[in-house]
Amino acid sequence: MGLFNSIKSIFSKNKNQLTNEEQLIVEKAEKYKKGMEKTRSSMMGKLKALFESYDRVNDDLFNELEEIFIMADIGVNTVLELMDEIKSDVRIRNVANMKEFQSIIIDKIFSIYVKDEIVDTNLNLNENGLTVILFVGVNGVGKTTSIGKIAYKLQNEGKKVMLAAGDTFRAGAIDQLKIWADRVGCPCVTKAPGSDPASVMYEAIQLAKAQNIDVLLCDTAGRLQTKVNLMKELEKVHRVISREVPGAPHETLLVIDATTGQNGMNQARAFTEATNVTGIVLTKLDGTAKGGIVLAIRNELGIPIKFVTMGEKITDLEYFDIEQYIYGLFSDMFV
Amino acid sequence: MAFDSLSDRLQQALRKVTGRGTLTETDIETMMREVRLSLLEADVNYKVVKDFTNEVKAKALGERVLKSITPGQQVVKIVFEELKRVMGDEAEGLRFKPQGTTIFMLVGLNGTGKTTHAGKLALYCRRKYNKNPLLVAADVYRPAAIDQLVTIGKQLSIPTFEMGTNYTPEEIVKKAIDYAKENKHDLVIIDTAGRFHVNEELMAELRRLKEIAQPDEILLTVDAMTGQDAVNVSQSFHEQLNVTGVILTKLDGDTRGGAALSIRRVTGVPIKFMGLGEKLDQLEVFHPERMASRILGMGDVLTLLEKAQDAINEEEAELMAKKFKNATFDYNDFLKQIKQIRRLGSIKGLLSLIPGLGSQLKNIEIDENQFNHIVAIINSMTEEERHNPDIINASRKQRIARGSGRDISEVNRLTKQFEEMRQMRRKMMNMSPKEMERMMNNLNRPGGQPSTPVSYSKGKGKNKGRRAPWF
């Protein structure tokens, strides 16, 4: 019950009683809360109504809870697992009161994500030399936009950033990345449409080394994970990067759209096989979709979420934080 | 194929039931649970799944599935019919103005493929309806969206109307329609910016664009990989804009595409097209019928089932089963069975309809004449011999061989195998389920030779020794 109480204690404190650290948590949480308002209102609306209509824990309540989880795209397997754990906890602790039940739910989601590990959302940056981050994903999930936002964030953190326009296939993709580079105010390496993306990476790495760049962000063309040739192309891009910079890419981030359903699992599997994915960027969390598939991906494949985006502005990107995420989903319950 | 995974799951669920005797109501319950889980894994909306499985169950209980001797197949058929019904029974075409400029507007969430499908649709209408389309770049928000549409237009040699990003979409659309009329474009396809259905400002903009353009079609692009939210999105767009059709995109991946079922069920808006790749000609008309078959992955099996239903009278089949049990099965019955099978078409054709078998059959040659030979041999028996196989002795065999024009060894083989088959069937009919299982395991063991007649290959030419199952 640790998490529930610790968050609750922070949020129930008076603002000026908070330590600096706690203040930061609150600020960040408020941002999540705002961005996920749509998500939360639809999910919380349901949860609240659910708890109001029951005065004790019974099978109907479990069934409705299961429905809510499924509707959040968490995925059948993970939901069944989650439900089993919640049920056994309720039985063991002989839970009758609804407040206690709510905290069990939240703690179970939390532990499914954390899995008794310290989950590090910080990027693995190369302290002495160039860091290369490769972005992969299916079409239309928001890779290019995410790169723009992450570049902006890293630059604000004092890093020298460069972009590499590795999507040489989709019409307009190179221009799109160039526009983001202009907004951020960082260089962008491009080649003609149709060029070999691996060659773009090669050139970008040489330039980045020469210009003492800290972080190189590499865009790639969206591709469905079933396209064998395109996945091979991605393997080649990955290979070239690791050949040119030892230990690179330091992060390979899979971008997943929050509206994605169970196919997200197939995406995570296939892209990991091709490029050893180290983290996820969950995009478009400002709609009504809950992006629950990332919980399933974490649960089944162990890949953590690094960033979430929830808006079209350059600042609409946050480091992922599971406590905040759950808070965003359930914050009405803390009131 | 896009829906393979769903079909795998359903087939697995149904396999537990097919090939078994009669069903209990609990069996149907178990099966419905599998159907329900597989649909949920396919991203069909939770509520749609609930209704769907209830309907299937009610039908399954109603349609004498319990009493049927092929209950699993009955249920497959019901599931298929229901899938088809939910997704709409017929493919729906595009609406064009009889005269003047037809206007299509593409709307949808970010990244679902509006711009690409504007191009695909333009190409499709030019090819299929001989239209002279104009693309309109009304996405002034996403960086380089206009460039993308212009590039696509160039690839297709279709003009793109754009005014950069300094005008409002309303101004652009107004000007574009005037331009189209002046330049004799009979089709205008407007690409709008991607937006969330909950973004009130941008949704209001779409309503204004609709007012200005008076489009003949408002097409919502939906990513086939969309999860449970597909229902919210399509419902919301539909409520605000009265969407006339859906384009389901990215169906060339391995998504199970349950969104297709949900959207149609919840909004009633027909799915008109499916996007099957990044190339601009990869657009196909959506056929609910075909899609339902694909969902099950057993469209061909259904053809087979229908054929079987036409050809095999259930009463007859039951009578046959009884005869086996009482060991009164004779050559006349055998002849009847062969004729029933023959009514279904060529054996190779039939076998190739079974999922998973098709590719393995490529190299096997099946001598369809074998059936004719068997029929000829039986026809050369007297009525008494057919009815009473035991009386066929060596001299009778010689007469039969002469009468049918076949070699005596063939007659011998037939009588021997007929006898084995009779014994086998009788044994099976009287077996306990456990014994049956043991026997099936023996048959499946590598090297285990079934004693039923499976070796009717004549063993000549390159197929020597390869045995084709003929029953």
Side-chain angles (χ1 to χ4, degrees):
Chain A
M1 221 177 315
L3 168 80
F4 180 74
N5 282 336
S6 77
I7 294 187
K8 195 174 172 179
S9 74
I10 293 176
F11 285 100
S12 50
K13 270 187 199 170
N14 198 315
K15 274 243 159 76
N16 42 32
Q17 289 176 338
L18 295 174
T19 63
N20 277 352
E21 205 175 301
E22 283 174 341
Q23 196 112 38
L24 271 177
I25 293 177
V26 171
E27 269 170 30
K28 211 168 158 193
E30 289 304 321
K31 216 165 186 178
Y32 261 85
K33 195 175 156 186
K34 221 173 148 212
M36 289 182 71
E37 218 155 330
K38 302 289 187 229
T39 306
R40 204 183 61 246
S41 66
S42 66
M43 176 132 173
M44 273 317 303
K46 278 186 210 143
L47 267 182
K48 226 178 161 184
L50 177 64
F51 290 128
E52 272 162 9
S53 59
Y54 289 92
D55 49 8
R56 56 190 192 84
V57 184
N58 60 22
D59 275 355
D60 290 345
L61 177 60
F62 283 134
N63 287 341
E64 281 198 49
L65 193 62
E66 185 184 89
E67 175 177 346
I68 289 172
F69 288 149
I70 296 260
M71 296 286 263
D73 286 320
I74 293 175
V76 175
N77 287 342
T78 304
V79 169
L80 292 180
E81 199 177 310
L82 199 58
M83 291 307 297
D84 281 348
E85 293 199 10
I86 291 173
K87 279 179 192 169
S88 87
D89 240 38
V90 166
R91 210 173 35 243
I92 291 166
R93 292 205 229 153
N94 200 11
V95 173
N97 120 4
M98 295 309 288
K99 266 259 150 15
E100 208 179 332
F101 183 60
Q102 290 177 28
S103 64
I104 287 178
I105 296 170
I106 291 177
D107 275 5
K108 284 301 160 199
I109 299 177
F110 183 74
S111 64
I112 273 210
Y113 185 80
V114 175
K115 293 206 160 269
D116 301 324
E117 285 172 30
I118 297 167
V119 189
D120 191 2
T121 57
N122 289 330
L123 290 175
N124 171 26
L125 297 178
N126 179 7
E127 294 305 329
N128 358 283
L130 178 65
T131 300
V132 184
I133 303 179
L134 179 65
F135 290 80
V136 299
V138 300
N139 316 65
V141 287
K143 279 179 297 303
T144 308
T145 308
S146 297
I147 289 174
K149 291 173 180 175
I150 291 173
Y152 182 77
K153 193 169 204 71
L154 290 172
Q155 182 136 307
N156 279 355
E157 288 172 8
K159 300 276 190 298
K160 268 179 88 178
V161 182
M162 180 185 266
L163 310 184
D167 182 355
T168 54
F169 179 79
R170 180 170 61 88
I174 296 173
D175 294 323
Q176 192 181 346
L177 194 70
K178 271 203 283 201
I179 293 172
W180 277 107
D182 287 345
R183 287 183 187 173
V184 175
C186 69
C188 179
V189 180
T190 64
K191 283 184 85 168
S195 316
D196 179 1
S199 76
V200 179
M201 301 310 168
Y202 178 81
E203 261 178 43
I205 288 171
Q206 308 315 318
L207 278 168
K209 281 178 179 167
Q211 296 177 21
N212 280 322
I213 294 289
D214 296 318
V215 185
L216 176 67
L217 303 178
C218 304
D219 194 11
T220 60
R223 65 202 73 215
L224 295 180
Q225 69 275 15
T226 47
K227 306 280 156 109
V228 178
N229 290 340
L230 294 179
M231 294 306 277
K232 286 254 181 302
E233 178 192 88
L234 206 55
E235 276 174 34
K236 183 182 170 192
V237 167
H238 191 268
R239 206 163 52 236
V240 166
I241 291 174
S242 51
R243 191 184 66 210
E244 293 306 311
V245 183
H250 303 85
E251 294 275 5
T252 301
L253 300 181
L254 172 66
V255 184
I256 289 188
D257 181 330
T259 55
T260 307
Q262 301 313 299
N263 194 249
M265 189 63 76
N266 296 5
Q267 292 171 22
R269 277 208 190 94
F271 279 100
T272 300
E273 203 172 293
T275 60
N276 190 25
V277 172
T278 57
I280 285 169
V281 182
L282 180 62
T283 60
K284 307 185 198 173
L285 210 52
D286 46 332
T288 47
K290 288 96 191 159
I293 189 64
V294 295
L295 288 179
I297 292 173
R298 169 70 190 164
N299 187 36
E300 289 185 30
L301 304 177
I303 304 170
I305 308 151
K306 297 274 181 175
F307 292 103
V308 295
T309 75
M310 24 201 180
E312 290 179 40
K313 288 199 298 292
I314 199 164
T315 51
D316 291 332
L317 172 111
E318 289 293 327
Y319 285 108
F320 179 77
D321 182 328
I322 181 64
E323 299 191 12
Q324 313 284 4
Y325 180 73
I326 296 178
Y327 176 67
L329 284 173
F330 290 88
S331 73
D332 288 10
M333 268 161 50
F334 295 105
V335 180
Chain B
M1 256 203 273
F3 285 118
D4 268 355
S5 326
L6 175 57
S7 54
D8 283 354
R9 190 55 201 268
L10 274 181
Q11 267 178 273
Q12 224 168 28
L14 293 166
R15 203 171 294 138
K16 291 176 191 158
V17 185
T18 40
R20 190 135 65 83
T22 47
L23 285 182
T24 64
E25 204 177 326
T26 334
D27 288 333
I28 292 202
E29 201 65 68
T30 318
M31 201 164 58
M32 287 307 130
R33 189 189 132 82
E34 291 293 327
V35 171
R36 176 174 164 263
L37 286 180
S38 76
L39 290 175
L40 284 176
E41 281 177 3
D43 292 321
V44 180
N45 182 268
Y46 190 88
K47 298 203 169 73
V48 175
V49 170
K50 242 186 194 168
D51 291 352
F52 183 83
T53 41
N54 282 341
E55 281 160 12
V56 170
K57 192 184 157 196
K59 291 228 165 99
L61 291 172
E63 283 184 21
R64 296 191 306 134
V65 170
L66 295 180
K67 279 186 238 145
S68 158
I69 55 163
T70 54
Q73 289 161 352
Q74 286 284 55
V75 174
V76 174
K77 194 159 184 255
I78 295 168
V79 172
F80 171 77
E81 293 295 337
E82 279 302 298
L83 280 174
K84 207 175 80 179
R85 198 180 61 77
V86 171
M87 289 192 296
D89 279 325
E90 282 299 313
E92 298 211 24
L94 290 165
R95 283 185 292 200
F96 293 98
K97 276 201 184 78
Q99 248 138 33
T101 309
T102 300
I103 295 169
F104 293 168
M105 191 163 121
L106 287 171
V107 300
L109 298 187
N110 315 61
T112 48
K114 280 176 298 304
T115 308
T116 306
H117 282 83
K120 284 186 184 180
L121 209 53
L123 177 65
Y124 178 84
C125 292
R126 187 177 66 189
R127 278 188 184 165
K128 174 125 199 234
Y129 301 104
N130 216 5
K131 295 283 172 191
N132 177 18
L134 176 71
L135 292 166
V136 179
D139 180 357
V140 297
Y141 307 105
R142 180 165 62 94
I146 295 174
D147 295 336
Q148 188 183 349
L149 193 66
V150 169
T151 309
I152 286 172
K154 268 188 200 140
Q155 284 170 10
L156 301 172
S157 311
I158 288 173
T160 304
F161 184 92
E162 56 108 352
M163 293 165 66
T165 55
N166 292 329
Y167 292 86
T168 63
E170 290 91 330
E171 288 170 316
I172 295 171
V173 166
K174 218 177 280 174
K175 288 253 165 64
I177 292 172
D178 292 342
Y179 176 89
K181 283 178 179 159
E182 282 162 26
N183 291 277
K184 302 216 158 39
H185 288 288
D186 51 4
L187 176 63
V188 172
I189 298 176
I190 303 169
D191 178 32
T192 65
R195 65 202 71 211
F196 272 116
H197 51 295
V198 287
N199 187 327
E200 277 158 32
E201 210 179 301
L202 286 175
M203 290 307 284
E205 178 194 285
L206 278 187
R207 287 197 299 271
R208 288 195 298 275
L209 289 182
K210 181 187 173 184
E211 198 56 41
I212 293 165
Q214 298 290 335
D216 301 271
E217 293 268 8
I218 298 182
L219 298 166
L220 175 69
T221 58
V222 178
D223 186 328
M225 293 177 280
T226 310
Q228 298 285 325
D229 207 38
V231 164
N232 293 334
V233 172
S234 54
Q235 223 166 2
S236 185
F237 270 96
H238 187 47
E239 274 163 18
Q240 302 195 46
L241 295 166
N242 232 335
V243 172
T244 60
V246 170
I247 303 177
L248 202 60
T249 66
K250 307 182 202 173
L251 264 171
D252 47 329
D254 59 357
T255 180
R256 302 178 189 184
L261 277 170
S262 313
I263 293 169
R264 178 67 202 236
R265 178 61 172 249
V266 171
T267 63
V269 174
I271 298 164
K272 294 200 169 175
F273 289 97
M274 41 194 202
L276 290 164
E278 293 182 68
K279 302 216 176 64
L280 293 167
D281 59 353
Q282 289 170 329
L283 182 76
E284 272 183 35
V285 172
F286 183 86
H287 281 287
E289 160 99 36
R290 251 165 53 193
M291 191 59 75
S293 307
R294 279 173 69 174
I295 287 178
L296 281 163
M298 37 175 54
D300 292 338
V301 168
L302 276 149
T303 319
L304 179 60
L305 279 182
E306 259 156 37
K307 279 183 173 178
Q309 250 171 6
D310 291 346
I312 299 168
N313 178 314
E314 210 164 288
E315 271 169 43
E316 242 173 66
E318 267 172 52
L319 187 74
M320 211 64 94
K322 205 176 278 168
K323 286 192 163 181
F324 266 123
K325 196 163 187 173
N326 302 333
T328 55
F329 185 78
D330 62 19
Y331 278 110
N332 282 324
D333 301 321
F334 190 35
L335 205 55
K336 226 185 269 172
Q337 274 201 333
I338 291 176
K339 280 183 182 155
Q340 282 182 341
I341 293 169
R342 298 247 58 184
R343 256 183 276 163
L344 295 174
S346 84
I347 299 302
K348 194 170 178 180
L350 281 178
L351 292 177
S352 70
L353 292 176
I354 298 168
L357 257 184
S359 54
Q360 294 170 26
L361 283 173
K362 247 181 254 153
N363 301 319
I364 296 180
E365 261 177 57
I366 293 165
D367 186 359
E368 304 277 347
N369 276 332
Q370 283 167 14
F371 275 107
N372 296 339
H373 298 162
I374 294 168
V375 171
I377 293 172
I378 297 176
N379 279 340
S380 298
M381 296 176 182
T382 65
E383 189 53 43
E384 201 192 355
E385 284 164 347
R386 287 190 219 176
H387 194 66
N388 216 341
D390 296 333
I391 63 165
I392 301 175
N393 58 22
S395 94
R396 283 175 190 264
K397 279 180 192 165
Q398 265 176 2
R399 196 206 71 244
I400 294 167
R402 276 199 306 275
S404 61
R406 306 307 305 168
D407 199 86
I408 179 83
S409 64
E410 267 182 70
V411 180
N412 270 327
R413 192 157 51 201
L414 175 67
T415 53
K416 190 166 168 244
Q417 286 171 341
F418 180 80
E419 197 43 50
E420 278 178 8
M421 180 172 69
R422 233 170 27 145
Q423 277 169 14
M424 176 96 166
R425 292 286 177 106
R426 191 164 42 211
K427 236 163 122 191
M428 279 168 69
M429 289 315 226
N430 296 319
M431 263 183 195
S432 68
K434 221 179 204 155
E435 284 172 316
M436 184 88 81
E437 194 181 317
R438 203 176 314 137
M439 191 193 72
M440 292 319 276
N441 286 342
N442 280 342
L443 287 183
N444 290 336
R445 217 170 36 209
Q449 277 293 327
S451 56
T452 27
V454 293
S455 53
Y456 244 80
S457 195
K458 290 189 72 186
K460 62 179 177 195
K462 60 180 194 283
N463 288 313
K464 193 163 186 164
R466 189 171 254 158
R467 291 171 168 183
W470 58 280
F471 202 78

